[in-house]
Every structure is written in structure tokens, then in C-alpha cells.
Amino acid sequence: AQKITQTQPGMFVQEKEAVTLDCTYDTSDPSYGLFWYKQPSSGEMIFLIYQGSYDQQNATEGRYSLNFQKARKSANLVISASQLGDSAMYFCAMREGLTGTASKLTFGTGTRLQVTL
Amino acid sequence: GAVVSQHPSWVICKSGTSVKIECRSLDFQATTMFWYRQFPKQSLMLMATSNEGSKATYEQGVEKDKFLINHASLTLSTLTVTSAHPEDSSFYICSARDLWRSAGGSSYNEQFFGPGTRLTVL
């Protein structure tokens, strides 16, 4: 079974609108971290936001927020007030285990977001 | 802070040659670095985990004799693609795990990515 599932290969959003990118995960480890990265055409991986499995509140970073629904095992990224510069590939990733262990990141297949005028 | 560099940013080589890619953590120490490969329009696939002072751990299906990893110091890991072939053409990205941020067992982001190296084998 896939550990990270992103079901939207592509999404369009109009400038200034909000958009939600879906991510579901699968793990039996009670300790895990969920990440979202942005990859523009240049290829660099830009860290956006992090949610720990024990965090009580949804993570927020500026225009990015993570809708964490633990029981549903979903960690959707919400981008508010979309900008043209938000057009990129977005990856959801999971690290199983806490930091301090040699845990690696597992990535989803990504969602390509296109922001239109 | 938490900057990771990769060199070169792109390389073109002939089939059969070897190519070395460097990954450096510029302002932090990293006992662990990760090497990923990304084919066009695909996700990042972990190739190996590089541990300072010890042998790398390779993921299933990755040939360790073809992709040599050396993690000689707390700030440098190298990936050498030996006897490269056109099918090795890909985007290679490293990430480095901050030694101090990952200590203590807390749960937060402690892994930082390099800008990637685009390898083209002719």
C-alpha cells in the first residue's frame, strides 16, 4: 500500500482564491511527521509546512495551513490568496518516527498547481 | 541558516564515465544525509542514506556498486555515479539532517534539501 497518496495530479486555481491540495497517509507508527514541499521548475525543494502527529493544533505558516485530520489520516494543504508564483509542483511527505531516529522521508506523487489570472 | 549546497548544479557526460556529485551543509553539521533521484514528472525516490563515518544504507533495488556514497565529514557527502549510462540521466537531490535539531527526540522539521543536480548522460 502507498504510504502517501496524492490523488490530484493537477489543479487549477484563480489568482487570489484559496486552494486545497489533498494528501492521505498510511502508517502504524504513532509518532510521525507530515511535510509539504513546493518544487518550482528550477527543481529545488522548498519546505512549506510541518505537522507532527502529536500536535494538537493545525500548523500554519503565512498563507499555508495544514488541515490535519488524524482519524482520517489526511493532511491537506490549504493555500490562501493564491499568487502566480505559487504555480509549481507540490509534494506531501511523511517521516515515520521522531527525530533522533534515522527515519527517512517518503514522498507522494505530487500535485501540479497552476495559478491563473 | 540551514543551507545545503550541491555541486555541480548540472553535468553532461559521456556514457561509461563516472560523475561525482557533492552535497554540503554550509552552516550546520549533518551526521545523516539522504540522496534522492527524481525522473521527469515523477516523485522523489530515496536512493540511500549516508551516514558520517560509516557505510551508506541503500534502498532496495539501488546498486551500491554503481552509486558510490562517501560521507567523509559532518558537512560533506558525495555520490559517484560509476560507468554512467543514459538511463542514469536524472535529477539528483540531497538532503541533510541537522545534527542539533534532530537531537532530543522532539518532532519537527530537521531535514534540509540541496538545490539538486541535473545529470545528462549521452
Side-chain angles (χ1 to χ4, degrees):
Chain A
Q2 293 290 327
K3 289 199 172 185
I4 293 286
T5 302
Q6 294 181 254
T7 58
Q8 306 154 314
M11 290 280 286
F12 286 90
V13 64
Q14 220 166 8
E15 197 181 17
K16 301 179 184 177
E17 297 294 310
V19 63
T20 298
L21 306 184
D22 295 342
C23 174
T24 58
Y25 59 93
D26 183 30
T27 181
S28 57
D29 195 323
S31 303
Y32 54 89
L34 298 160
F35 302 76
W36 277 93
Y37 291 90
K38 172 184 178 182
Q39 188 180 43
S41 56
S42 59
E44 60 185 312
M45 294 292 284
I46 301 170
F47 166 73
L48 296 178
I49 197 166
Y50 168 82
Q51 181 85 44
S53 59
Y54 297 117
D55 293 343
Q56 296 294 313
Q57 293 186 327
N58 286 346
T60 59
E61 289 285 350
R63 295 187 298 112
Y64 304 108
S65 60
L66 201 151
N67 184 359
F68 182 43
Q69 298 190 37
K70 198 169 182 177
R72 294 184 179 184
K73 293 189 174 180
S74 75
N76 298 339
L77 176 70
V78 180
I79 305 175
S80 62
S82 296
Q83 302 172 356
L84 294 178
D86 294 335
S87 295
M89 196 74 171
Y90 288 80
F91 290 99
C92 179
M94 177 172 65
R95 179 196 64 221
E96 292 173 281
L98 296 173
T99 62
T101 63
S103 46
K104 57 194 180 186
L105 291 176
T106 302
F107 285 85
T109 51
T111 296
R112 181 164 297 281
L113 177 66
Q114 185 68 47
V115 180
T116 61
L117 291 170
Chain B
V3 179
V4 177
S5 70
Q6 272 185 250
H7 178 79
S9 54
W10 60 269
V11 57
I12 301 172
C13 69
K14 292 183 178 180
S15 186
T17 60
S18 294
V19 175
K20 180 185 284 188
I21 302 170
E22 292 186 349
C23 177
R24 292 182 184 271
S25 55
L26 298 184
D27 51 3
F28 65 96
Q29 293 182 320
T31 54
T32 304
M33 292 186 175
F34 301 90
W35 287 96
Y36 296 85
R37 179 168 54 183
Q38 185 180 30
F39 292 110
K41 298 185 180 181
Q42 293 189 23
S43 186
L44 278 72
M45 298 300 296
L46 181 66
M47 299 174 65
T49 302
S50 169
N51 300 297
E52 187 265 338
S54 65
K55 290 183 178 180
T57 304
Y58 290 81
E59 295 299 301
Q60 194 172 10
V62 177
E63 300 174 58
K64 59 182 179 182
D65 293 332
K66 180 168 185 61
F67 299 99
L68 301 179
I69 291 173
N70 188 325
H71 194 152
S73 76
L74 286 174
T75 59
L76 174 63
S77 174
T78 60
L79 168 69
T80 301
V81 183
T82 62
S83 187
H85 290 283
E87 58 265 30
D88 298 323
S89 298
S90 187
F91 191 59
Y92 292 86
I93 310 176
C94 72
S95 69
R97 196 157 151 260
D98 187 319
L99 174 65
W100 297 110
R101 292 188 195 214
S102 60
S106 298
S107 180
Y108 44 72
N109 180 41
E110 86 288 7
Q111 205 176 120
F112 303 94
F113 283 84
T117 296
R118 196 165 299 281
L119 170 63
T120 302
V121 185
L122 302 176

